[in-house]
Amino acid sequence: MAADPTELLALAVDIATAAGELALRRRREGVEVAATKSSIVDVVTAADRDVEAYIRVRLAQARPGDAFLGEESDASAGTSGLTWVVDPIDGTVNYLYDIPRWAVSIAVVEGDDPATWRALAGCVVNPSLGEVFAASIGGGASLGARTISASEPATLGTSLVATGFGYDAAIRVAQAEAAVRVIGSVRDLRRAGAAALDLCDVGAGRLDAYWERGLAPWDFAAGALIAAEAGAVVSADDVRDGRRLVTAAAPAIAPEFAALLRRAGV
Ligand code: LIP
């Protein structure tokens, strides 16, 4: 089945928008923890699972030959060479606490390795705000009908930077210690709880830069494409102890930001 990035993007936007409405309806009906995963604070709700199941069925109907990689269910292989990478609710803790900053994230990629795969299309929907971020390879990035582009901060010292913390307490402490070594060299830090939206916000110029180590492919697959197509400098090839560092920064500060993160031992 031919893979036209703009057609793949239209499919991703259609499915992510419907999945977002389902997740929002479930949120309004009340949400409980269904289980915990890597730690007591790494929670999954029934809505995470049901929204992923919905997305999976829609994708299998539209593109039966494609592979699937999702946060909440077993991966499946395909014959087309394309893989759909899905986070049904990115920012699950925000979703649990009814903080309106969680998103449905859908990307389609060629290749298996997150450091080198070629993302063809990606969509991140924040249903609480009715915001749809989207990008196709070489096609630029948008927020709704608006084309978005990364910011042009004057200096790193006046840049607004976001980051995130993992579900393991000892790792969180080490991440916080690294953040202490960053915060004095930037305008301020933000920790908003959803990597996919943090990456999109760099693409939209709402943030000047973002970093997080320990992300899973579904947390960043779509957001990384959206940030890159909006002109941000994005990287996801640094893996240490099995934990991947994902960064996105406005071009004007990208080299300095990367150097700061190295000095901080991120
Ligand atoms: C979350 C990320 C967030 C990170 C959390 C978690 P989830 O994804 O969006 O940036 O700090 O540790 O990985 O678990 O809500 O899909």
Side-chain angles (χ1 to χ4, degrees), residues 2 23 55 73 82 102 131 143-144 156 186 208 213 229 253 261:
I55 294 170
S73 57
L82 298 187
W102 48 272
E131 291 193 332
L143 168 52
L156 181 59
V186 299
D208 299 308
R213 188 179 285 280
E229 283 292 326
I253 58 163
L261 296 182

Side-chain angles (χ1 to χ4, degrees), residues 144-171:
R146 181 167 68 86
T147 298
I148 57 174
S149 57
S151 63
E152 296 171 5
T155 65
L156 181 59
T158 57
S159 291
L160 186 61
V161 177
T163 192
F165 305 98
Y167 289 122
D168 176 279
I171 288 176

Side-chain angles (χ1 to χ4, degrees), residues 37 42-43 48 71-72 87 89-94 163-167 191 193-196 198 210 212 214-216 218-219:
K37 300 188 282 186
D42 182 3
V43 299
D48 287 270
E71 178 170 9
E72 309 301 352
D87 192 337
I89 301 179
D90 184 48
T92 297
V93 173
N94 285 351
T163 192
F165 305 98
Y167 289 122
R191 195 306 191 237
D198 290 334
Y210 162 76
E212 187 162 357
L215 290 180
W218 41 77
D219 293 322

Side-chain angles (χ1 to χ4, degrees), residues 169-191:
I171 288 176
R172 275 200 304 282
V173 169
Q175 290 174 310
E177 287 166 350
V180 167
R181 296 188 287 272
V182 169
I183 198 167
S185 303
V186 299
R187 176 191 297 276
D188 200 351
L189 284 186
R190 293 289 180 269
R191 195 306 191 237

Side-chain angles (χ1 to χ4, degrees), residues 68-141:
F68 184 90
L69 176 65
E71 178 170 9
E72 309 301 352
S73 57
D74 295 338
S76 60
T79 55
S80 66
L82 298 187
T83 301
W84 292 88
V85 184
V86 172
D87 192 337
I89 301 179
D90 184 48
T92 297
V93 173
N94 285 351
Y95 184 77
L96 182 67
Y97 282 79
D98 201 9
I99 298 170
R101 188 176 167 87
W102 48 272
V104 178
S105 176
I106 300 180
V108 58
V109 305
E110 272 175 343
D112 301 320
D113 179 352
T116 57
W117 64 23
R118 187 165 166 265
L120 301 179
C123 171
V124 173
V125 171
N126 178 345
S128 308
L129 298 183
E131 291 193 332
V132 178
F133 293 91
S136 60
I137 190 163

